[in-house]
Amino acid sequence: AVDPSRSVATGDFAVTDRQVEPLLQALAAHGITATALHTHMIGESPTLYFIHFWADAPLATIVEGLRAAVDAAR
């Protein structure tokens, strides 16, 4: 928490190819910025994509957005 009305969060999700687009859409719909999309490994199966994010909003808004992203990736 930065102050009582503002929080920031950063982190990343590791998802398969079919989960990338729904997760990105959920983050964007909740004002959370995807800052990077990439892979770390070569030749793994299934391929995992890492989506890094940055959020700057009231805590409840961030939590709601991250929950939506997790749900979208299911």
Side-chain angles (χ1 to χ4, degrees):
V2 175
D3 62 42
S5 64
R6 180 177 169 225
S7 294
V8 295
T10 188
D12 60 286
F13 292 94
V15 297
T16 62
D17 59 350
R18 70 172 184 78
Q19 297 168 306
V20 169
E21 191 60 33
L23 194 140
L24 288 174
Q25 290 175 354
L27 290 174
H30 290 86
I32 298 174
T33 303
T35 59
L37 168 62
H38 60 91
T39 63
H40 283 274
M41 284 76 73
I42 297 172
E44 85 276 17
S45 182
T47 301
L48 291 179
Y49 294 90
F50 294 83
I51 300 173
H52 296 260
F53 67 87
W54 170 260
D56 185 342
L59 181 58
T61 302
I62 293 172
V63 171
E64 180 181 322
L66 294 178
R67 176 82 253 174
V70 169
D71 290 344
R74 287 188 177 183

